[in-house]
Amino acid sequence: MSEGRRWGARSISSLIVFVLAAALTIPALVGHWGHRTVIDAGRYIETVGPLASSPEVQEAVADAVTQAVLDKVDTEKQVDELLTGLFPDRPVIQGLSAPIAAGVNSAIAALIDRFVTSDAFQEVWLKLNTALQRGIVAVLSGETDGTVKLEGDQIVLDVSSLLGDVQTYLVDQGISAAGNITIPDNDRTIVLAEAPALAQLRLVYSLTSPLLEWLPLVIAALFALSIFLARRRARTTVATGIALLVAGVLVWQGLGIGETVFVDQLAGTVFAPASTVFWNTLFVYLVAGTKAISLICIAVIFAGWLSGRT
């Protein structure tokens, strides 16, 4: 009877450990990705740094910056004022100002296109993303002063440095009017995400941050302990493989849903062409990890199946 109780206690303990490990698998996968890709500054830059050479990202940044600059530079007015001092005939001025202004706008757009394909933009991109990574960590840590800030229920990125670098480049290229641009505060930020659940994210970050790097190993150890405690280890091994496979599928589906939402949010904006490229690059480590776990799961299932009695 005592042996029956001992085995009963082991079976219950195995089940509890198994359920705990299964429940923590998805948070472990996502948390480990977050630690490796977002929290780790070096790996984050390694991940997003090459995006500066992506044609889609270059096009999106060029369009956004060109739009911001041209919205603040009334080239037609400036050309009109210049021509007024040269020609006394007002109809002539009106006929010339519009096409000349259009030519100036095209020149500005061409210069910005040249800028985003230059080595200077590579440096600006790395500087901006370094500040972005630090800002995200600061927000998760409870700080609110930095490149990434809270404005109401929104997490926003301050792009003042990027706009300033573009202004300097345009002035250096002979567009002196660009040096007089004053970007309003509401045009200096980009909304990164809505933050109604930020308090929960901060709590999870504060509790799990020290463990994020090692959490997958902890989960593996819990599953191994569950198998060790189980009376029917082969069956528990198969169940472990199935649980991990289900977790991988759920993460894969979650990534698909998240990508759809992300791309839809940017649809119709200048960032739309770069949205898919940015998403796929940012989550490449999580996708690779999910694929690897799926293969491991299949091996675990077969190992448990072959080691069973039936």
Side-chain angles (χ1 to χ4, degrees):
M1 189 71 172
S2 60
E3 183 178 352
R5 290 195 188 96
R6 179 171 60 84
W7 279 107
R10 289 189 60 173
S11 297
I12 294 174
S13 299
S14 173
L15 178 61
I16 292 174
V17 173
F18 178 87
V19 171
L20 178 62
L24 292 176
T25 297
I26 292 179
L29 289 174
V30 178
H32 185 64
W33 162 84
H35 177 81
R36 291 287 297 270
T37 305
V38 179
I39 306 303
D40 188 319
R43 292 187 180 274
Y44 175 79
I45 295 302
E46 288 179 5
T47 301
V48 303
L51 282 173
S53 301
S54 167
E56 292 85 357
V57 171
Q58 290 176 348
E59 178 184 355
V61 172
D63 289 346
V65 173
T66 300
Q67 180 176 314
V69 171
L70 294 183
D71 284 346
K72 305 307 171 188
V73 179
D74 191 346
T75 52
E76 187 166 353
K77 179 181 178 181
Q78 294 190 32
V79 170
D80 186 271
E81 293 176 352
L82 176 63
L83 293 178
T84 299
L86 298 177
F87 300 99
D89 193 346
R90 187 62 189 173
V92 172
I93 295 175
Q94 291 176 340
L96 292 176
S97 61
I100 293 177
V104 173
N105 290 343
S106 297
I108 291 175
L111 285 174
I112 293 175
D113 287 339
R114 187 189 305 171
F115 172 73
V116 299
T117 59
S118 68
D119 292 339
F121 177 68
Q122 302 278 339
E123 297 177 3
V124 170
W125 177 261
L126 292 178
K127 181 174 69 174
L128 178 65
N129 277 279
T130 298
L132 171 61
Q133 185 273 336
R134 291 174 180 170
I136 291 175
V137 174
V139 168
L140 290 176
S141 302
E143 301 175 15
T144 58
D145 186 18
T147 302
V148 179
K149 303 177 182 179
L150 286 177
E151 293 186 358
D153 288 334
Q154 294 180 327
I155 301 175
V156 299
L157 169 65
D158 189 332
V159 293
S160 299
S161 61
L162 172 61
L163 294 174
D165 289 330
V166 173
Q167 282 182 273
T168 301
Y169 179 81
L170 291 176
V171 172
D172 291 342
Q173 296 298 315
I175 308 296
S176 57
N180 300 323
I181 302 173
T182 300
I183 306 295
D185 291 340
N186 60 336
D187 288 335
R188 293 175 178 266
T189 58
I190 296 175
V191 177
L192 297 177
E194 301 292 332
L198 182 60
Q200 292 88 333
L201 290 175
R202 283 176 170 171
L203 177 63
V204 171
Y205 173 76
S206 63
L207 294 175
T208 62
S209 181
L211 300 175
L212 289 177
E213 185 175 4
W214 307 106
L215 199 53
L217 294 179
V218 173
I219 300 302
L222 289 175
F223 276 123
L225 178 61
S226 175
I227 294 172
F228 174 76
L229 294 175
R231 291 185 60 186
R232 298 181 177 180
R233 293 176 178 172
R235 182 175 296 180
T236 305
T237 301
V238 172
T240 296
I242 293 174
L244 290 173
L245 186 60
V246 170
V249 170
L250 291 177
V251 170
W252 187 271
Q253 290 180 338
L255 285 173
I257 295 172
E259 180 180 1
T260 300
V261 172
F262 181 73
V263 172
D264 287 347
Q265 285 181 336
L266 295 178
T269 70
V270 293
F271 298 105
S275 58
T276 300
V277 175
F278 184 82
W279 180 274
N280 292 337
T281 300
L282 188 63
F283 287 95
V284 64
Y285 180 78
L286 182 56
V287 171
T290 303
K291 290 180 179 179
I293 284 182
S294 299
L295 294 176
I296 294 173
C297 293
I298 295 174
V300 170
I301 291 172
F302 273 105
W305 182 272
L306 294 176
S307 64
R309 296 179 179 179
T310 59

